[in-house]
Coordinates of all heavy atoms in Angstrom, one line a residue:
P106 N -26.6 41.1 20.2 CA -25.3 41.2 20.7 C -24.2 40.4 19.9 O -23.1 40.8 19.8 CB -25.4 40.7 22.1 CG -26.8 40.9 22.5 CD -27.6 40.8 21.2
I107 N -24.6 39.3 19.3 CA -23.6 38.6 18.5 C -23.2 39.3 17.3 O -22.0 39.3 17.0 CB -24.2 37.2 18.2 CG1 -24.3 36.3 19.4 CG2 -23.3 36.5 17.2 CD1 -25.0 35.0 19.2
L108 N -24.1 39.9 16.6 CA -23.8 40.6 15.3 C -22.8 41.8 15.6 O -21.8 41.9 14.9 CB -25.0 41.1 14.6 CG -24.8 41.7 13.2 CD1 -24.0 40.7 12.3 CD2 -26.1 42.1 12.6
P109 N -23.1 42.7 16.6 CA -22.1 43.8 16.8 C -20.7 43.3 17.2 O -19.7 43.8 16.8 CB -22.8 44.6 17.9 CG -24.2 44.3 17.8 CD -24.3 42.9 17.3
K110 N -20.7 42.2 18.0 CA -19.4 41.6 18.4 C -18.7 41.1 17.2 O -17.5 41.3 17.0 CB -19.6 40.5 19.4 CG -18.3 39.9 19.9 CD -18.6 38.8 21.0 CE -17.3 38.2 21.4 NZ -17.5 37.2 22.4
R111 N -19.4 40.5 16.3 CA -18.8 39.9 15.1 C -18.3 41.0 14.2 O -17.2 40.9 13.6 CB -19.9 39.1 14.3 CG -19.4 38.5 13.0 CD -18.3 37.4 13.3 NE -17.8 37.0 12.1 CZ -16.6 36.4 12.0 NH1 -15.8 36.3 13.0 NH2 -16.1 36.1 10.8
C112 N -19.0 42.1 14.1 CA -18.6 43.3 13.3 C -17.3 43.9 13.9 O -16.4 44.3 13.2 CB -19.7 44.4 13.3 SG -21.1 43.9 12.2
R113 N -17.3 44.0 15.2 CA -16.1 44.5 15.9 C -14.9 43.6 15.6 O -13.8 44.1 15.3 CB -16.3 44.7 17.4 CG -15.2 45.4 18.1 CD -15.4 45.5 19.6 NE -15.4 44.2 20.2 CZ -16.1 43.9 21.3 NH1 -16.8 44.8 21.9 NH2 -16.1 42.6 21.7
V114 N -15.1 42.3 15.7 CA -14.0 41.4 15.5 C -13.5 41.5 14.0 O -12.3 41.5 13.7 CB -14.4 39.9 15.8 CG1 -13.4 38.9 15.3 CG2 -14.6 39.8 17.3
D115 N -14.5 41.6 13.1 CA -14.1 41.7 11.7 C -13.3 43.0 11.5 O -12.3 43.0 10.7 CB -15.3 41.8 10.8 CG -16.0 40.4 10.7 OD1 -15.3 39.4 11.0 OD2 -17.2 40.3 10.2
H116 N -13.7 44.1 12.1 CA -13.0 45.4 12.0 C -11.6 45.3 12.5 O -10.7 45.7 11.9 CB -13.8 46.5 12.7 CG -13.1 47.8 12.7 ND1 -13.0 48.6 11.6 CD2 -12.5 48.5 13.7 CE1 -12.3 49.7 11.8 NE2 -12.0 49.6 13.1
L117 N -11.5 44.7 13.7 CA -10.1 44.5 14.3 C -9.2 43.6 13.4 O -8.1 43.9 13.2 CB -10.3 43.8 15.7 CG -10.7 44.7 16.8 CD1 -10.8 43.9 18.1 CD2 -9.7 45.8 17.1
S118 N -9.8 42.6 12.8 CA -9.0 41.7 12.0 C -8.5 42.5 10.7 O -7.4 42.3 10.3 CB -9.8 40.5 11.4 OG -10.7 40.0 12.3
E119 N -9.4 43.3 10.1 CA -9.0 44.1 9.0 C -7.9 45.1 9.4 O -6.9 45.2 8.6 CB -10.2 44.8 8.4 CG -11.1 43.9 7.6 CD -10.5 43.1 6.5 OE1 -9.7 43.8 5.7 OE2 -10.7 41.9 6.4
Y120 N -8.1 45.7 10.5 CA -7.1 46.7 10.9 C -5.7 46.0 11.2 O -4.7 46.4 10.7 CB -7.5 47.4 12.2 CG -6.4 48.1 12.9 CD1 -6.0 49.4 12.4 CD2 -5.7 47.6 14.0 CE1 -5.0 50.1 13.0 CE2 -4.7 48.3 14.6 CZ -4.3 49.6 14.1 OH -3.3 50.3 14.6
L121 N -5.8 44.8 11.8 CA -4.5 44.1 12.2 C -3.8 43.6 10.9 O -2.6 43.5 10.9 CB -4.8 42.9 13.1 CG -5.2 43.4 14.5 CD1 -5.8 42.2 15.3 CD2 -4.0 44.0 15.2
K122 N -4.5 43.4 9.8 CA -3.9 42.9 8.6 C -2.9 44.0 8.0 O -2.0 43.7 7.4 CB -4.9 42.6 7.5 CG -5.6 41.3 7.8 CD -6.7 41.0 6.7 CE -7.5 39.8 7.1 NZ -8.6 39.6 6.1
S123 N -3.2 45.3 8.3 CA -2.4 46.4 7.8 C -1.2 46.6 8.7 O -0.3 47.4 8.3 CB -3.2 47.7 7.7 OG -3.5 48.2 9.0
V124 N -1.1 46.0 9.9 CA -0.1 46.3 10.8 C 1.3 45.9 10.3 O 2.2 46.8 10.5 CB -0.4 45.7 12.2 CG1 0.8 45.7 13.1 CG2 -1.6 46.3 12.9
P125 N 1.6 44.8 9.8 CA 2.9 44.4 9.3 C 3.5 45.5 8.4 O 4.7 45.9 8.6 CB 2.8 43.1 8.7 CG 1.6 42.5 9.3 CD 0.7 43.6 9.6
D126 N 2.8 45.9 7.4 CA 3.3 46.9 6.4 C 3.5 48.2 7.1 O 4.6 48.8 6.8 CB 2.3 47.1 5.2 CG 2.3 45.8 4.3 OD1 3.2 45.1 4.3 OD2 1.3 45.7 3.6
T127 N 2.6 48.6 7.9 CA 2.8 49.9 8.6 C 4.0 49.8 9.6 O 4.8 50.8 9.6 CB 1.5 50.2 9.4 OG1 0.4 50.2 8.6 CG2 1.6 51.6 10.1
L128 N 4.1 48.7 10.3 CA 5.2 48.6 11.2 C 6.6 48.6 10.5 O 7.5 49.3 10.9 CB 5.1 47.2 12.0 CG 6.0 47.0 13.2 CD1 5.9 48.1 14.2 CD2 5.7 45.7 13.8
E129 N 6.7 47.9 9.4 CA 7.9 47.8 8.5 C 8.2 49.2 8.0 O 9.4 49.7 8.0 CB 7.8 46.9 7.4 CG 7.6 45.4 7.8 CD 8.9 44.8 8.5 OE1 10.0 45.3 8.1 OE2 8.7 44.0 9.4
S130 N 7.2 50.0 7.6 CA 7.4 51.3 7.1 C 7.9 52.2 8.2 O 8.9 53.0 8.0 CB 6.1 51.8 6.5 OG 6.2 53.2 6.1
L131 N 7.3 52.2 9.4 CA 7.8 53.0 10.5 C 9.2 52.7 10.9 O 10.0 53.6 11.1 CB 6.9 52.8 11.7 CG 5.5 53.4 11.5 CD1 4.6 52.9 12.7 CD2 5.5 54.9 11.5
M132 N 9.5 51.4 10.9 CA 10.9 51.0 11.2 C 11.9 51.5 10.2 O 13.0 52.0 10.6 CB 11.0 49.5 11.4 CG 10.2 48.9 12.5 SD 10.8 49.4 14.2 CE 12.1 48.3 14.3
S133 N 11.6 51.4 8.9 CA 12.5 51.8 7.9 C 12.7 53.3 7.9 O 13.8 53.8 7.5 CB 12.1 51.3 6.5 OG 10.9 52.0 6.1
E134 N 11.7 54.0 8.3 CA 11.8 55.5 8.4 C 12.4 55.9 9.8 O 12.5 57.1 10.1 CB 10.4 56.1 8.3 CG 9.7 55.9 7.0 CD 8.3 56.3 6.9 OE1 7.8 56.8 7.9 OE2 7.6 56.0 5.9
K135 N 12.8 54.9 10.6 CA 13.4 55.2 11.9 C 12.5 55.9 12.8 O 12.9 56.7 13.7 CB 14.7 56.0 11.8 CG 15.7 55.5 10.8 CD 16.3 54.2 11.3 CE 17.5 53.8 10.4 NZ 17.6 52.4 10.3
R136 N 11.2 55.7 12.7 CA 10.2 56.3 13.6 C 9.9 55.2 14.6 O 8.8 54.6 14.7 CB 8.9 56.6 12.8 CG 9.2 57.7 11.8 CD 8.1 58.1 10.9 NE 6.9 58.5 11.6 CZ 5.7 58.6 11.1 NH1 5.5 58.2 9.9 NH2 4.7 58.9 11.9
L137 N 10.9 55.0 15.5 CA 10.9 53.9 16.4 C 9.8 54.1 17.5 O 9.2 53.1 17.9 CB 12.2 53.7 17.0 CG 13.4 53.5 16.0 CD1 14.7 53.3 16.8 CD2 13.1 52.3 15.2
L138 N 9.6 55.3 18.0 CA 8.6 55.5 19.0 C 7.2 55.1 18.5 O 6.4 54.4 19.1 CB 8.6 56.9 19.5 CG 7.5 57.3 20.6 CD1 7.8 56.4 21.8 CD2 7.6 58.7 20.9
H139 N 6.9 55.5 17.3 CA 5.6 55.2 16.6 C 5.5 53.7 16.4 O 4.4 53.1 16.6 CB 5.4 55.9 15.3 CG 5.2 57.4 15.5 ND1 4.1 58.0 16.1 CD2 6.1 58.4 15.3 CE1 4.3 59.3 16.1 NE2 5.5 59.6 15.6
A140 N 6.6 53.1 15.9 CA 6.6 51.6 15.7 C 6.3 50.9 17.0 O 5.6 49.9 17.0 CB 7.9 51.2 15.1
A141 N 7.0 51.3 18.1 CA 6.8 50.6 19.4 C 5.4 50.8 19.8 O 4.8 49.8 20.3 CB 7.8 51.2 20.4
G142 N 4.8 51.9 19.7 CA 3.4 52.1 20.1 C 2.5 51.3 19.3 O 1.6 50.7 19.9
L143 N 2.7 51.2 18.0 CA 1.8 50.4 17.2 C 2.0 48.9 17.6 O 1.0 48.2 17.6 CB 2.2 50.5 15.7 CG 1.5 49.6 14.7 CD1 0.0 49.9 14.7 CD2 2.1 49.9 13.3
L144 N 3.2 48.5 17.8 CA 3.4 47.1 18.2 C 2.7 46.8 19.5 O 2.0 45.7 19.6 CB 4.9 46.8 18.3 CG 5.3 45.4 18.7 CD1 4.8 44.4 17.7 CD2 6.9 45.3 18.8
V145 N 2.8 47.6 20.5 CA 2.2 47.4 21.8 C 0.7 47.4 21.7 O 0.0 46.5 22.2 CB 2.6 48.5 22.8 CG1 1.8 48.4 24.1 CG2 4.1 48.3 23.2
R146 N 0.1 48.3 20.9 CA -1.4 48.4 20.7 C -1.8 47.1 20.0 O -2.9 46.5 20.4 CB -1.8 49.6 20.0 CG -1.7 50.9 20.8 CD -2.3 52.1 20.1 NE -1.8 52.3 18.7 CZ -0.7 52.9 18.4 NH1 0.0 53.5 19.4 NH2 -0.3 53.1 17.2
S147 N -1.1 46.7 19.0 CA -1.5 45.6 18.2 C -1.4 44.3 19.0 O -2.3 43.4 18.9 CB -0.6 45.4 16.9 OG -0.7 46.6 16.2
M148 N -0.4 44.2 19.8 CA -0.3 43.0 20.7 C -1.4 42.9 21.7 O -2.0 41.8 21.9 CB 1.1 43.0 21.5 CG 2.3 42.7 20.6 SD 2.3 41.1 19.9 CE 2.4 40.1 21.3
K149 N -1.9 44.0 22.2 CA -3.0 44.0 23.1 C -4.3 43.6 22.4 O -5.1 42.9 22.9 CB -3.2 45.4 23.7 CG -2.2 45.7 24.8 CD -2.5 47.1 25.5 CE -1.5 47.3 26.6 NZ -1.8 48.5 27.4
M150 N -4.4 44.1 21.2 CA -5.6 43.7 20.4 C -5.7 42.3 20.1 O -6.7 41.6 20.2 CB -5.7 44.5 19.1 CG -6.1 45.9 19.2 SD -6.2 46.7 17.5 CE -5.7 48.3 17.9
I151 N -4.5 41.7 19.6 CA -4.5 40.4 19.2 C -4.6 39.4 20.3 O -4.9 38.2 20.1 CB -3.2 40.1 18.3 CG1 -3.5 39.1 17.3 CG2 -2.0 39.8 19.1 CD1 -2.7 39.1 16.1
K152 N -4.3 39.8 21.5 CA -4.4 39.0 22.7 C -5.8 39.0 23.3 O -6.1 38.2 24.3 CB -3.4 39.4 23.8 CG -2.0 39.0 23.3 CD -1.0 39.4 24.4 CE 0.4 39.0 24.0 NZ 1.4 39.5 25.0
K153 N -6.7 39.8 22.8 CA -8.1 39.8 23.3 C -8.7 38.5 23.1 O -8.5 37.8 22.1 CB -8.9 40.9 22.6 CG -8.6 42.3 23.0 CD -9.5 43.3 22.3 CE -9.1 44.7 22.8 NZ -10.0 45.7 22.3
P154 N -9.6 38.0 24.1 CA -10.2 36.7 24.0 C -10.9 36.4 22.7 O -10.9 35.3 22.2 CB -11.2 36.7 25.2 CG -10.6 37.7 26.2 CD -9.9 38.7 25.3
E155 N -11.6 37.4 22.2 CA -12.4 37.2 21.0 C -11.5 37.1 19.8 O -11.9 36.6 18.7 CB -13.4 38.4 20.7 CG -12.8 39.7 20.6 CD -12.8 40.6 21.8 OE1 -12.8 40.0 22.9 OE2 -12.7 41.8 21.7
M156 N -10.2 37.4 19.9 CA -9.3 37.3 18.7 C -8.5 36.0 18.8 O -8.0 35.6 17.8 CB -8.3 38.5 18.7 CG -9.0 39.8 18.6 SD -9.9 40.0 17.1 CE -8.7 40.2 15.9
T157 N -8.5 35.3 19.9 CA -7.7 34.1 20.0 C -8.2 32.9 19.3 O -7.5 32.1 18.9 CB -7.5 33.7 21.5 OG1 -8.8 33.5 22.1 CG2 -6.7 34.8 22.3
D158 N -9.5 32.9 19.0 CA -10.1 31.8 18.3 C -10.1 32.0 16.8 O -10.6 31.1 16.1 CB -11.6 31.6 18.8 CG -11.6 31.2 20.2 OD1 -10.6 30.6 20.7 OD2 -12.6 31.4 20.9
I159 N -9.6 33.1 16.3 CA -9.7 33.4 14.9 C -8.4 32.9 14.2 O -7.3 33.4 14.4 CB -9.9 34.9 14.6 CG1 -11.2 35.3 15.2 CG2 -9.9 35.2 13.1 CD1 -11.5 36.8 15.1
G160 N -8.5 31.9 13.4 CA -7.4 31.3 12.7 C -6.7 32.2 11.8 O -5.4 32.2 11.6
A161 N -7.4 33.1 11.2 CA -6.8 34.1 10.2 C -5.8 35.0 10.8 O -4.9 35.5 10.1 CB -7.9 34.9 9.6
V162 N -5.8 35.2 12.1 CA -4.8 36.1 12.8 C -3.7 35.3 13.4 O -2.8 36.0 14.0 CB -5.5 37.1 13.8 CG1 -6.5 38.0 13.1 CG2 -6.2 36.3 14.9
S163 N -3.7 34.0 13.3 CA -2.6 33.3 14.0 C -1.2 33.6 13.4 O -0.2 33.7 14.1 CB -2.9 31.8 13.9 OG -2.8 31.3 12.6
D164 N -1.1 33.7 12.0 CA 0.1 34.1 11.4 C 0.6 35.5 11.9 O 1.7 35.8 12.1 CB 0.1 34.1 9.9 CG 0.0 32.6 9.4 OD1 0.3 31.7 10.1 OD2 -0.5 32.5 8.2
L165 N -0.4 36.4 11.9 CA -0.1 37.7 12.4 C 0.3 37.7 13.8 O 1.3 38.5 14.2 CB -1.4 38.6 12.2 CG -1.2 40.1 12.6 CD1 -0.1 40.8 11.9 CD2 -2.5 40.8 12.4
R166 N -0.3 36.9 14.7 CA 0.1 36.8 16.1 C 1.6 36.4 16.1 O 2.4 37.0 16.9 CB -0.8 35.8 16.8 CG -0.6 35.8 18.3 CD -1.5 34.8 19.0 NE -2.9 35.3 18.9 CZ -3.8 34.7 18.1 NH1 -3.6 33.6 17.4 NH2 -5.1 35.2 18.0
T167 N 1.9 35.4 15.3 CA 3.3 34.9 15.3 C 4.3 36.0 14.9 O 5.3 36.2 15.5 CB 3.4 33.7 14.4 OG1 2.5 32.7 14.8 CG2 4.8 33.1 14.3
Y168 N 3.9 36.7 13.8 CA 4.7 37.8 13.3 C 4.9 38.9 14.4 O 6.0 39.3 14.6 CB 4.0 38.4 12.1 CG 4.7 39.7 11.7 CD1 5.8 39.7 10.9 CD2 4.1 41.0 12.0 CE1 6.4 40.9 10.5 CE2 4.7 42.2 11.6 CZ 5.9 42.1 10.9 OH 6.4 43.3 10.6
L169 N 3.8 39.3 15.1 CA 3.9 40.3 16.1 C 4.8 39.9 17.3 O 5.6 40.7 17.8 CB 2.5 40.8 16.6 CG 1.7 41.5 15.5 CD1 0.3 41.8 16.1 CD2 2.3 42.8 15.2
I170 N 4.6 38.7 17.7 CA 5.4 38.2 18.8 C 6.9 38.2 18.4 O 7.8 38.6 19.2 CB 5.0 36.7 19.2 CG1 3.6 36.8 19.9 CG2 6.0 36.1 20.1 CD1 2.9 35.5 20.1
G171 N 7.2 37.8 17.1 CA 8.6 37.8 16.6 C 9.1 39.3 16.6 O 10.2 39.5 17.0
Q172 N 8.3 40.2 16.2 CA 8.7 41.6 16.1 C 8.9 42.1 17.5 O 9.9 42.9 17.8 CB 7.7 42.5 15.4 CG 7.6 42.3 13.9 CD 8.9 42.6 13.3 OE1 9.7 41.7 12.9 NE2 9.2 43.9 13.1
E173 N 8.1 41.7 18.5 CA 8.3 42.1 19.8 C 9.6 41.6 20.4 O 10.3 42.3 21.0 CB 7.1 41.6 20.7 CG 7.1 42.1 22.1 CD 5.9 41.6 22.9 OE1 5.6 40.4 22.8 OE2 5.3 42.4 23.6
N174 N 9.9 40.3 20.1 CA 11.1 39.8 20.6 C 12.3 40.5 20.0 O 13.3 40.7 20.7 CB 11.2 38.3 20.3 CG 10.2 37.5 21.1 OD1 9.8 37.9 22.2 ND2 9.7 36.4 20.6
V175 N 12.3 40.8 18.7 CA 13.4 41.5 18.1 C 13.6 42.9 18.6 O 14.7 43.3 18.9 CB 13.2 41.5 16.5 CG1 14.2 42.5 15.9 CG2 13.3 40.1 15.9
S176 N 12.4 43.6 18.8 CA 12.5 44.9 19.3 C 13.0 45.0 20.7 O 13.6 46.0 21.1 CB 11.2 45.7 19.1 OG 10.2 45.1 20.0
L177 N 12.7 44.0 21.5 CA 13.2 44.0 22.9 C 14.7 43.9 23.0 O 15.3 44.1 24.0 CB 12.5 43.0 23.7 CG 11.0 43.2 24.0 CD1 10.3 42.1 24.7 CD2 10.8 44.5 24.7
Q178 N 15.3 43.4 21.9 CA 16.8 43.3 21.9 C 17.5 44.6 21.6 O 18.7 44.8 21.8 CB 17.2 42.2 20.9 CG 16.7 40.9 21.3 CD 17.0 39.8 20.2 OE1 17.7 40.1 19.2 NE2 16.5 38.6 20.4
L179 N 16.7 45.6 21.1 CA 17.2 46.9 20.8 C 17.1 47.8 22.1 O 16.0 47.9 22.6 CB 16.5 47.6 19.7 CG 16.5 46.8 18.3 CD1 15.5 47.5 17.4 CD2 17.9 46.7 17.8
P180 N 18.2 48.4 22.6 CA 18.1 49.1 23.8 C 17.0 50.2 23.9 O 16.2 50.3 24.8 CB 19.5 49.7 24.0 CG 20.4 48.9 23.1 CD 19.5 48.4 22.0
D181 N 16.9 51.1 22.9 CA 16.0 52.2 22.9 C 14.5 51.6 22.8 O 13.7 52.1 23.5 CB 16.2 53.1 21.7 CG 17.5 53.9 21.8 OD1 18.0 53.9 23.0 OD2 18.0 54.3 20.8
I182 N 14.3 50.6 22.0 CA 12.9 50.1 21.8 C 12.5 49.4 23.1 O 11.4 49.5 23.5 CB 12.9 49.1 20.6 CG1 13.1 49.8 19.4 CG2 11.5 48.4 20.6 CD1 12.1 50.9 19.0
K183 N 13.4 48.7 23.8 CA 13.1 48.0 25.0 C 12.6 49.0 26.0 O 11.5 48.8 26.7 CB 14.3 47.3 25.6 CG 14.1 46.5 26.8 CD 15.3 45.8 27.3 CE 15.0 44.9 28.5 NZ 16.2 44.2 28.9
D184 N 13.2 50.2 26.2 CA 12.7 51.2 27.1 C 11.4 51.7 26.7 O 10.5 51.9 27.5 CB 13.7 52.4 27.2 CG 15.1 51.9 27.8 OD1 15.1 50.9 28.5 OD2 16.1 52.6 27.5
I185 N 11.2 52.0 25.4 CA 9.9 52.5 24.9 C 8.8 51.6 25.1 O 7.7 51.9 25.6 CB 10.1 52.9 23.4 CG1 11.0 54.1 23.2 CG2 8.7 53.3 22.8 CD1 11.5 54.3 21.8
T186 N 9.0 50.3 24.7 CA 7.9 49.3 24.8 C 7.5 49.1 26.3 O 6.4 48.9 26.6 CB 8.2 48.0 24.1 OG1 9.4 47.5 24.6 CG2 8.2 48.2 22.6
S187 N 8.5 49.1 27.2 CA 8.2 48.9 28.6 C 7.4 50.1 29.1 O 6.5 49.9 30.0 CB 9.4 48.6 29.4 OG 10.3 49.7 29.5
L188 N 7.8 51.3 28.7 CA 7.0 52.5 29.1 C 5.6 52.4 28.6 O 4.7 52.7 29.3 CB 7.7 53.7 28.6 CG 9.0 54.1 29.3 CD1 9.6 55.3 28.6 CD2 8.7 54.5 30.8
N189 N 5.4 52.1 27.3 CA 4.1 52.0 26.7 C 3.3 50.9 27.4 O 2.1 51.1 27.6 CB 4.2 51.7 25.2 CG 4.5 52.9 24.4 OD1 4.3 54.0 24.9 ND2 5.0 52.7 23.2
S190 N 3.8 49.8 27.7 CA 3.1 48.7 28.3 C 2.7 49.1 29.8 O 1.5 48.8 30.2 CB 3.9 47.4 28.4 OG 4.2 47.0 27.1
S191 N 3.5 49.8 30.5 CA 3.2 50.1 31.9 C 2.2 51.3 32.0 O 1.6 51.4 33.0 CB 4.5 50.4 32.7 OG 5.1 51.5 32.2
S192 N 2.2 52.1 30.9 CA 1.3 53.3 31.0 C -0.1 53.0 30.6 O -1.0 53.8 30.7 CB 1.8 54.4 30.1 OG 1.7 54.0 28.8
R193 N -0.4 51.8 30.2 CA -1.8 51.4 29.8 C -2.4 50.5 30.7 O -2.1 49.8 31.5 CB -1.8 50.8 28.4 CG -1.2 51.8 27.4 CD -1.4 51.3 26.0 NE -0.6 52.1 25.1 CZ -1.1 53.1 24.4 NH1 -2.4 53.4 24.5 NH2 -0.4 53.8 23.6

């Protein structure tokens, strides 16, 4: 059980490393709905208990929290992220 859990955590960490570039790309392309969905999903992943002890994702956690705070200041994104959060 420890090895599969470790593999899953490694996979999640690798996926999360790609999130900032993908998020920036979506935002620059004005694909706000996709960006909001990615942000919400990534925040859920990074808040999982098995991810909180991994130091390598602490900078990413800070980045995502910052992006979430910025996006919540935009009226359209605030509505989208609250809808995405409540539907899961």
Side-chain angles (χ1 to χ4, degrees):
I107 292 175
L108 187 58
K110 182 178 179 180
R111 179 69 185 154
C112 289
R113 187 180 66 207
V114 169
D115 287 345
H116 177 72
L117 282 175
S118 327
E119 286 302 313
Y120 168 78
L121 289 168
K122 286 179 188 177
S123 70
V124 168
D126 289 338
T127 305
L128 191 58
E129 295 294 328
S130 176
L131 290 170
M132 294 294 281
S133 70
E134 295 170 6
K135 307 290 187 216
R136 296 174 60 195
L137 303 180
L138 180 60
H139 293 288
L143 176 62
L144 182 58
V145 168
R146 286 189 309 275
S147 300
M148 288 298 294
K149 285 184 177 188
M150 283 183 212
I151 210 158
K152 289 179 179 179
K153 289 183 177 189
E155 62 265 24
M156 299 301 286
T157 57
D158 296 335
I159 300 174
V162 295
S163 65
D164 289 341
L165 180 58
R166 185 177 297 109
T167 302
Y168 169 80
L169 291 174
I170 290 169
Q172 288 299 104
E173 183 179 46
N174 291 335
V175 168
S176 69
L177 289 177
Q178 295 173 7
L179 303 171
D181 293 340
I182 297 296
K183 184 177 182 179
D184 294 338
I185 293 168
T186 54
S187 66
L188 286 174
N189 280 339
S190 294
S191 64
S192 68
R193 300 190 189 262

